[in-house]
């Protein structure tokens, strides 16, 4: 109860400060042309964008790219992470190369991605995937390193077969870490998605921002920025809920 | 007797040396595998006539181009321009993030009221601020510094708050009972206690800032690592492009390792 009251009160303060800022921008003759940045024009822009179908199509396009990129990152990151966690040789040999590639800023791959993939859509999915794969790999490996080897012994002594070992021991043990990794991956993918959409494509949230700026419709611009924040917050919250659901570190909590 | 002592002293030193040389050899072997795979894949490209024009993506041309660009001073200039933006952005993020983080860690009211708007603003992808930053700030340089700062401030803020939450309140009592002034409490208790967490936050912030810096430099400016990549792409100089990727990876790795060394230096968790 106290939590949700403070949640609403915090948001109310935030929007009040925004409204106040917009009021001063509109009141000053020098900055009046930027009054679209205020809270009220921004909120008024939402029904416009919705009726024009721009909001839905931008969310759909970005959602598809984000989903495919994260999906690829998870499909590659999980097995590689298990390999890093289980094999000391692989971990020691892959470490320097992985750290080096990890620190190549994802958008630097853009020119290569555009050459390799025939479409801009494919390149953006690649950029999201290469940014998001590292947290998945390292979180999976860290989770596996924490699994007590005695559990495997106990399970084997009680007659567990390899399938049961995977479903009853490994998956419940590292689900928490995998979701923590996916949450980090989502944050990184979100950072990369918008600049990737500023280049080349004509759909998605990043493009909508560029489009609003070029047409000087500042109310649409802030509406899209707010949309990005709301969707990001929503996706992050879903990840946090999944992490809590699969947490066995503080059992009962 | 003295012989035994010498042996006992030498044993950990020897095993430390063995550990070091093992780490160094796997480090070198790992990079060798990476560059070997890179060479192999571009070699395969050069065999196929349809893709042979992409042979300059290989490690040989990339290293040659790196050397040529260092001799011409292009690499140094790009590193200098990007470092200035990265450093200024990170400094602003630290200057804003640490005090706000301390406020979050110390005041329950502030923590609960600020949580929802901070989470919302944190999830606004940093580059979305770009059109607004360009309008608010006069130069592209300051707009880029703003983008780096707004991306980097969140990890520093939340790491500082988390660090402060872990500080045992008894320490403040003990320090006060022993006659510590409030200045001494800050310098002798709070700073050593949260240095580890602040630096962990700075490392995360550096990673995000590094991701934001390159796309921010694609737009508007004519200097820095991001611009060099854009420039190499437009002039179809693939060897220069790969050279810049090498420079970005190396510099990022060096900065990340520096953060890691600082974190280890200020860690009191496992001592």
């Amino acid at each position: 109860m106290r939590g949700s009251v403070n949640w609403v009160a915090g948001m109310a303060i935030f929007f009040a400060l925004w409204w106040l800022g917009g009021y001063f921008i509109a009141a000053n003759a020098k900055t009046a042309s930027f009054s679209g940045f205020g809270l009220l024009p921004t909120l008024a822009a939402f029904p416009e964008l919705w009726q024009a179908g721009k909001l839905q199509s931008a969310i759909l396009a970005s959602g598809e790219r984000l989903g495919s990129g994260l999906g690829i990152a998870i499909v590659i990151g999980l097995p590689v992470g298990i390999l890093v966690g289980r094999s000391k040789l692989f971990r020691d040999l892959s470490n320097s190369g992985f750290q080096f590639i990890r620190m190549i800023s994802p958008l630097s791959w853009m020119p290569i991605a555009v050459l390799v993939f025939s479409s801009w859509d494919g390149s953006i999915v690649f950029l999201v995937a290469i940014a998001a794969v590292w947290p998945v790999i390292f979180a999976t490996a860290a989770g596996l390193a924490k699994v007590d080897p005695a559990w495997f012994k106990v399970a084997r002594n009680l007659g567990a077969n390899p399938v049961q070992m995977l479903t009853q021991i490994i998956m419940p043990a590292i689900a928490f870490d995998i979701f923590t990794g996916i949450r980090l991956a989502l944050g990184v993918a979100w950072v990369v998605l918008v600049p990737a959409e500023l280049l080349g494509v004509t759909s998605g949230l990043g493009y909508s921002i560029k489009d609003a700026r070029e047409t000087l419709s500042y109310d649409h611009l802030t509406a899209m920025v707010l949309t990005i924040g709301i969707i990001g917050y929503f996706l992050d919250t879903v990840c946090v809920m999944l992490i809590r659901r699969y947490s066995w570190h503080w059992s009962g909590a | 007797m003295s012989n035994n002592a010498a042996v006992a002293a030498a044993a950990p030193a020897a095993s430390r040396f063995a550990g070091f040389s093992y780490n160094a050899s796997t480090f070198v072997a790992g990079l060798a595998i990476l560059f070997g795979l890179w060479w192999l894949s571009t070699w395969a490209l050069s065999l196929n006539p349809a893709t042979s024009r992409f042979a300059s993506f290989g490690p040989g041309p990339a290293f040659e181009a790196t050397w040529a660009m260092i001799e011409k001073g292009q690499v140094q200039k790009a590193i200098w321009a990007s470092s200035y933006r990265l450093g200024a952005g990170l400094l602003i993020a630290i200057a804003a993030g640490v005090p706000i983080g301390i406020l979050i860690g110390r005041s329950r009211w502030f923590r609960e009221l600020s949580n929802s708007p901070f989470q919302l603003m944190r999830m606004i992808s940093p580059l979305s601020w770009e059109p607004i930053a360009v309008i608010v700030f006069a130069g592209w340089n300051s707009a880029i510094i703003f983008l780096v700062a707004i991306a980097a401030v969140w990890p520093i803020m939340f790491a500082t708050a988390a660090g402060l939450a872990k500080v045992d309140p008894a320490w403040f009592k003990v320090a006060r009972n022993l006659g510590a002034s409030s200045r001494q409490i800050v310098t002798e208790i709070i700073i050593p206690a949260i240095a580890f967490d602040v630096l962990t936050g700075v490392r995360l912030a550096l990673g995000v800032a590094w991701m934001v810096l390159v796309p921010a430099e694609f737009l508007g400016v004519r200097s820095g690592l991001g611009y060099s990549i854009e420039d190499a792409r437009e002039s179809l100089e693939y060897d220069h492009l790969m050279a810049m990727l090498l420079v970005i990876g190396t510099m990022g790795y060096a900065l990340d390792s520096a953060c890691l060394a600082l974190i280890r230096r200020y860690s009191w968790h496992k001592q």
Side-chain angles (χ1 to χ4, degrees):
Chain A
M1 187 58 206
R2 183 190 159 106
S4 46
V5 168
N6 279 326
W7 191 94
V8 172
M11 281 293 181
I13 294 171
F14 173 71
F15 284 112
L17 288 175
W18 184 357
W19 177 82
L20 213 64
Y23 175 78
F24 283 122
I25 288 174
N28 188 336
K30 265 193 237 164
T31 56
S33 56
F34 298 118
S35 59
F37 284 127
L39 175 66
L40 299 180
T42 299
L43 294 182
F46 273 100
E48 278 173 43
L49 285 168
W50 182 267
Q51 267 158 22
K54 282 184 180 174
L55 204 57
Q56 301 92 309
S57 68
I59 292 174
L60 213 67
S62 287
E64 200 186 315
R65 293 177 191 131
L66 186 78
S68 320
L70 272 181
I72 293 171
I74 292 168
V75 166
I76 295 174
L78 278 187
V80 176
I82 290 176
L83 206 57
V84 172
R86 297 289 285 181
S87 155
K88 183 166 162 31
L89 186 71
F90 186 81
R91 177 170 58 245
D92 289 341
L93 280 180
S94 66
N95 185 49
S96 55
F98 279 177
Q99 295 295 344
F100 181 79
I101 302 176
R102 181 175 75 91
M103 289 311 288
I104 294 178
S105 183
L107 261 290
S108 324
W109 295 105
M110 187 271 293
I112 298 174
V114 170
L115 283 177
V116 173
F117 297 95
S118 49
S119 68
W120 274 96
D121 254 333
S123 326
I124 293 175
V125 170
F126 169 79
L127 292 179
V128 169
I130 203 165
V133 76
W134 307 109
V136 177
I137 291 179
F138 295 127
T140 307
L144 218 59
K146 282 187 309 190
V147 174
D148 190 338
W151 294 357
F152 294 112
K153 262 192 207 158
V154 171
R156 226 174 281 126
N157 286 348
L158 293 172
N161 62 33
V163 173
Q164 287 171 323
M165 201 82 110
L166 188 70
T167 57
Q168 303 296 316
I169 308 284
I170 295 184
M171 289 316 286
I174 65 171
F176 169 85
D177 301 276
I178 291 173
F179 285 120
T180 308
I182 291 176
R183 186 187 176 202
L184 290 174
L186 172 78
V188 172
W190 203 234
V191 169
V192 167
L193 181 68
V194 169
E197 286 181 342
L198 291 176
L199 315 153
V201 289
T202 53
S203 64
L205 297 164
Y207 167 75
S208 310
I209 285 184
K210 196 173 87 169
D211 186 47
R213 181 174 73 132
E214 278 167 6
T215 55
L216 302 179
S217 34
Y218 298 128
D219 50 343
H220 289 196
L221 178 65
T222 39
M224 292 318 295
V225 171
L226 186 61
T227 306
I228 289 176
I230 291 170
I231 295 176
Y233 191 3
F234 170 75
L235 293 174
D236 191 59
T237 308
V238 170
C239 284
V240 171
M241 280 162 62
L242 281 172
I243 291 170
R244 291 222 178 108
R245 163 76 186 73
Y246 287 99
S247 164
W248 48 270
H249 293 255
W250 304 274
S251 53
Chain B
M1 182 79 182
S2 66
N3 210 8
N4 277 352
V7 168
S15 74
R16 216 179 303 143
F17 177 73
F20 174 77
S21 66
Y22 174 77
N23 287 342
S25 53
T26 52
F27 174 88
V28 172
L31 285 184
I33 292 171
L34 178 71
F35 287 113
L37 289 174
W38 178 12
W39 178 81
L40 212 65
S41 53
T42 46
W43 179 71
L45 280 182
S46 71
L47 289 184
N48 186 339
T51 55
S52 59
R53 69 202 161 97
F54 297 123
S56 54
F57 276 112
F63 281 116
E64 274 168 35
T66 312
W67 185 243
M69 287 169 89
I70 289 174
E71 278 190 328
K72 274 192 256 168
Q74 287 167 307
V75 169
Q76 293 92 316
K77 241 175 78 187
I79 289 180
W80 177 246
S82 286
S83 304
Y84 167 70
R85 295 174 191 133
L86 184 77
L90 276 179
L91 270 184
I92 293 171
I94 293 170
V98 171
I100 299 178
I102 290 177
L103 205 57
I104 294 176
R106 297 289 286 178
S107 155
R108 192 172 163 196
W109 266 106
F110 187 81
R111 176 170 61 245
E112 291 183 350
L113 283 178
S114 67
N115 184 50
S116 55
F118 278 174
Q119 295 295 340
L120 178 71
M121 285 168 74
R122 180 174 75 89
M123 290 310 288
I124 294 176
S125 182
L127 262 289
S128 329
W129 295 106
E130 184 254 329
I132 299 173
V134 171
I135 292 171
V136 173
F137 296 97
W140 274 96
N141 241 342
S142 1
I144 293 176
I145 291 171
F146 169 80
L147 293 179
V148 169
I150 205 162
V153 75
W154 309 109
I156 295 173
M157 200 188 276
F158 294 127
T160 305
L164 216 62
K166 282 189 307 191
V167 175
D168 189 337
W171 295 356
F172 294 110
K173 262 192 205 158
V174 171
R176 232 173 276 125
N177 285 349
L178 292 171
S181 68
S182 32
R183 228 196 89 208
Q184 283 171 322
I185 286 186
V186 170
T187 58
E188 302 294 315
I189 307 283
I190 295 185
I191 290 180
I194 66 170
F196 170 83
D197 302 276
V198 172
L199 288 170
T200 308
V202 170
R203 186 185 176 207
L204 291 174
L206 174 79
V208 179
W210 201 233
M211 282 180 196
V212 168
L213 182 67
V214 169
E217 286 180 342
F218 283 168
L219 316 153
V221 289
R222 301 190 52 80
S223 63
L225 298 165
Y227 167 73
S228 306
I229 284 188
E230 185 69 12
D231 186 46
R233 181 176 81 116
E234 277 170 7
S235 51
L236 303 178
E237 294 167 313
Y238 300 132
D239 49 344
H240 285 207
L241 183 67
M242 296 313 284
M244 289 322 295
L245 277 180
L246 274 179
V247 170
I248 290 176
T250 308
M251 191 177 158
Y253 196 173
L255 291 172
D256 191 58
S257 304
C259 282
L260 208 57
L262 277 175
I263 291 171
R264 293 223 174 105
R265 162 80 187 69
Y266 286 99
S267 165
W268 47 270
H269 293 257
K270 290 170 215 161
Q271 264 177 17

